[in-house]
Amino acid sequence: MAQSAPTEFEYYLNETEQPFAGWDFSHLTGTGRMREFPLRWNYYVHVRERLPVVRSLLDMGTGGGEFLASLAPLPADTVATEGYEPNIPIAAARLKPLGVPVVPVKDDERLALEDARFELVINRHESYAPQEVARILKPGGTFLTQQVGGDNDCEINDWLGAPPFELADWRLEVAAEGLERAGLRIVFRDEERTKTRFYDIGAILYYLQAIPWQIPDFSVRKYEAPLREIHAHIRKHGYIDVTCSRFILTAVKVMA
């Protein structure tokens, strides 16, 4: 007996098997299936304009090294860290031609880096310990981070009936207070909530596989009924939006 053709929903299930490496969402963004609305600021510009005046740079949580490589030419003393083991060889291969070592991280509280080494530490969407950031910064050095707010993608959890994200209270004020307690002075801050737009249920499935911390127990089998409801909504309206929550901070280590 011939097999029946898969339904449209079943067709999109293969997205859960698509490979994801580094921090590269081009499988979705390159086709426009997922789009983040623009922010008031641009993280790349904030970093790029500081590079000509620094001789040492650390990129915390480099992913696959994609962003750091895009900043070349880099300061002579540039280092990257990465805590997700599958990303380490990917980042190392990409950054080796630029002379950038990748330092594995197992504990944010204990970085294998020297005291007061870096003039600039950058961090895009990576966890960090404020005291360690202060320790590795040179006096007068700058920490620049863009973070994902705890309410990011909160609608997905609501729609699926999943528990809220475990760091739902992570926001600009909390981050600023932590850095100030560590001896840093905030010189710039901004926060914005825009939207991330998905154009098919497959894009959401791929996205949730790539960010397993959002719904740690996620599987299609467990959440199939609400996923089908989201699929029906997208088919009716053409897309679905969720909250895109971001904040940016620039802090300077106070001179002794």
Side-chain angles (χ1 to χ4, degrees):
M1 182 181 295
Q3 283 188 324
S4 60
T7 66
E8 190 176 69
F9 180 82
E10 290 166 345
Y11 167 79
Y12 281 120
L13 295 184
N14 65 14
E15 292 292 339
T16 62
E17 300 173 3
Q18 294 296 320
F20 180 81
W23 193 243
D24 181 7
F25 285 93
S26 60
H27 178 66
L28 300 182
T29 58
T31 54
R33 296 168 62 199
M34 179 183 84
R35 290 184 177 176
E36 291 182 357
F37 290 24
L39 299 166
R40 284 190 293 266
W41 66 86
N42 182 281
Y43 177 74
Y44 177 91
V45 171
H46 276 255
V47 174
R48 179 78 258 177
E49 66 186 12
R50 287 169 171 79
L51 290 186
V53 297
V54 299
R55 293 170 293 180
S56 52
L57 168 69
L58 172 66
D59 181 25
M60 301 182 75
T62 197
E66 303 91 347
F67 179 79
L68 184 57
S70 76
L71 295 169
L74 298 166
D77 181 19
T78 297
V79 178
T81 63
E82 178 56 34
Y84 183 51
E85 286 192 18
N87 283 347
I88 293 172
I90 297 170
R94 178 174 280 116
L95 297 175
K96 183 177 181 180
L98 300 176
V100 177
V102 179
V103 177
V105 173
K106 295 184 180 295
D107 182 355
D108 288 342
E109 303 279 351
R110 297 180 180 181
L111 301 179
L113 298 165
E114 300 90 337
D115 292 356
R117 175 170 175 178
F118 299 102
E119 294 178 50
L120 177 62
V121 174
I122 62 174
N123 176 311
R124 183 174 181 268
H125 305 176
E126 179 69 5
S127 62
Y128 64 88
Q131 291 292 347
E132 276 295 89
V133 171
R135 180 183 67 80
I136 62 178
L137 273 176
K138 291 180 179 292
T142 298
F143 177 55
L144 196 166
T145 183
Q146 178 176 290
Q147 291 283 307
V148 177
D151 58 344
N152 190 70
D153 299 331
C154 59
E155 293 87 352
I156 297 179
N157 296 62
D158 292 341
W159 294 332
L160 297 186
F165 177 52
E166 65 177 349
L167 299 178
D169 292 332
W170 182 238
R171 58 189 187 278
L172 177 63
E173 293 81 1
V174 174
E177 289 171 4
L179 292 171
E180 289 172 338
R181 286 195 300 270
L184 304 184
R185 179 170 56 87
I186 308 299
V187 296
F188 175 77
R189 68 178 79 192
D190 201 357
E191 184 173 34
E192 189 170 16
R193 288 169 183 81
T194 62
K195 298 292 182 183
T196 300
R197 179 163 291 180
F198 295 94
Y199 290 92
D200 63 73
I201 192 63
I204 294 177
L205 294 176
Y206 180 88
Y207 182 69
L208 289 174
Q209 293 287 112
I211 57 165
W213 52 85
Q214 187 69 30
I215 303 178
D217 67 345
F218 176 76
S219 71
V220 173
R221 177 175 297 222
K222 180 169 184 175
Y223 293 104
E224 182 174 349
L227 286 169
R228 286 184 178 275
E229 291 178 6
I230 296 171
H231 172 61
H233 176 97
I234 295 174
R235 293 298 298 141
K236 180 177 180 179
H237 299 281
Y239 63 87
I240 199 164
D241 288 342
V242 300
T243 297
C244 178
S245 178
R246 300 287 185 270
F247 62 85
I248 187 170
L249 281 166
T250 304
V252 174
K253 183 175 179 179
V254 177
M255 301 284 285

